[in-house]
């Protein structure tokens, strides 16, 4: 599946860009929430998320790059989140955060930074719907893909199988037409793509092309 990141959309034409995503082959809309504390950048928050919800016809995949995410889980559910991912590095009581997300009726995800080992997720894997592997240091769109992610993806895929987990593997950061196929081959299920989609001349065609590359591996 492909989840274009709205972070790279043109915020002055957000409705237009959401409608483009509705008409495209994209499966989910990836929504990046940054607080300027967990990551060195601010993006947008609940009011913008609600505005996206008004037009989005695809599931909103909310990625919380914030400290104290528990405080906002319910609000993001109300703002349209179908899935919510919290960061491993931001949650002291990760198991509780995951249960809270699930009790709200959302898919529960955990995101890990490039320096965090996938092995640290072993004890929560059976409870997870989604693991988001950061393939850049979170905070900004348009960064260079960290190659080590390929190994982490296969390692995580094995861990998921060993633990009888149904978690999907999502790769976030620096995804493009050169690494998409290899990531799916390594075991990824969902690719997030921001800059590569929105900086292209024809984003809808770029989405279709990425989806085709991904589908070819699984076929
Ligand atoms: C990075 C965000 C990503 C970002 C991906 O902190 O979590 O979702 O939007 O963007 P690209 O595809 O531009 O690296
Ligand atoms: Zn993200």
């Amino acid at each position: 599946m492909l989840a274009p990141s709205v972070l790279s959309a043109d915020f002055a034409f957000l409705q237009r860009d959401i409608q483009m995503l509705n008409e495209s082959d994209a499966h989910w809309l990836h929504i990046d929430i940054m607080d300027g504390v967990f990551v060195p950048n601010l993006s947008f928050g609940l009011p913008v998320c609600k505005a996206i919800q008004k037009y989005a016809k695809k599931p909103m995949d909310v990625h919380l790059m914030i400290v104290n995410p528990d405080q906002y889980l319910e609000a993001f559910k109300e703002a349209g989140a179908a899935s919510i991912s919290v960061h491993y590095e931001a949650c002291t009581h990760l198991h509780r955060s995951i249960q809270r997300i699930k009790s709200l009726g959302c898919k529960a995800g955990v995101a890990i930074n490039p320096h965090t080992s996938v092995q640290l997720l072993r004890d929560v894997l059976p409870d997870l719907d989604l693991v988001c592997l950061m393939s850049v240091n979170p905070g900004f769109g348009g960064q260079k893909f960290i190659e080590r992610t390929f190994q982490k993806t296969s390692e995580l895929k094995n861990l998921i199988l060993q633990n009888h987990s149904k978690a999907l593997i999502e790769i976030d950061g620096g995804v493009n037409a050169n690494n998409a196929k290899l990531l799916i081959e390594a075991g990824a299920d969902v690719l997030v793509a921001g800059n590569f989609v929105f900086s292209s001349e024809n984003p809808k065609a770029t989405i279709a092309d990425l989806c085709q590359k991904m589908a070819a591996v699984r076929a």
Side-chain angles (χ1 to χ4, degrees):
M1 291 189 285
L2 187 70
S5 171
V6 173
L7 184 66
S8 292
D10 185 338
F11 294 158
F13 296 95
L14 199 47
Q15 182 184 351
R16 179 201 68 190
D17 283 358
I18 300 302
Q19 269 158 359
M20 180 278 290
L21 294 175
N22 286 341
E23 291 159 18
S24 78
D25 292 341
H27 301 84
W28 294 351
L29 308 192
H30 187 80
I31 313 289
D32 286 309
I33 308 294
M34 304 179 184
D35 66 354
V37 179
F38 181 71
V39 288
N41 195 14
L42 294 162
S43 57
F44 51 81
L46 286 160
V48 174
C49 210
K50 281 188 188 149
I52 295 170
Q53 180 190 21
K54 270 209 266 182
Y55 297 102
K57 295 207 175 101
K58 302 193 177 180
M60 288 164 65
D61 171 40
V62 173
H63 177 194
L64 296 180
M65 286 163 275
I66 64 175
V67 295
N68 299 323
D70 289 9
Q71 216 177 314
Y72 296 103
L73 296 176
E74 201 172 339
F76 277 105
K77 156 73 187 178
E78 274 164 27
S83 52
I84 302 180
S85 296
V86 293
H87 262 267
Y88 175 87
E89 302 83 2
C91 295
T92 310
H93 302 288
L94 184 62
H95 182 272
R96 182 185 291 148
S97 306
I98 293 165
Q99 302 312 321
R100 285 212 176 128
I101 297 171
K102 289 171 83 153
S103 72
L104 293 168
C106 294
K107 282 194 200 318
V110 171
I112 61 170
N113 281 339
H115 72 273
T116 301
S117 164
V118 298
Q119 299 296 337
L120 293 168
L121 296 176
R122 186 195 304 264
D123 292 326
V124 289
L125 263 188
D127 295 319
L128 289 181
D129 299 301
L130 190 65
V131 176
C132 177
L133 286 188
M134 291 310 302
S135 36
V136 297
N137 285 293
F140 304 91
Q143 301 183 82
K144 192 178 174 295
F145 180 83
I146 297 170
E147 298 286 322
R148 164 84 186 153
T149 311
F150 292 120
Q151 277 160 273
K152 285 181 83 170
T153 305
S154 338
E155 198 187 337
L156 177 59
K157 183 73 189 177
N158 288 333
L159 206 60
I160 284 173
L161 293 173
Q162 281 162 22
N163 286 276
H164 310 291
S165 163
K166 58 180 183 334
L168 298 174
I169 302 179
E170 179 177 59
I171 309 296
D172 189 6
V175 168
N176 58 41
N178 295 325
N179 54 29
K181 181 173 174 279
L182 293 169
L183 286 166
I184 299 295
E185 281 171 354
D189 303 289
V190 186
L191 303 185
V192 174
N195 183 61
F196 184 72
V197 165
F198 283 97
S199 70
S200 70
E201 222 163 277
N202 184 342
K204 218 194 280 182
T206 304
I207 290 170
D209 182 55
L210 278 176
C211 287
Q212 223 173 2
K213 286 195 163 64
M214 294 163 74
V217 180
R218 289 279 157 105

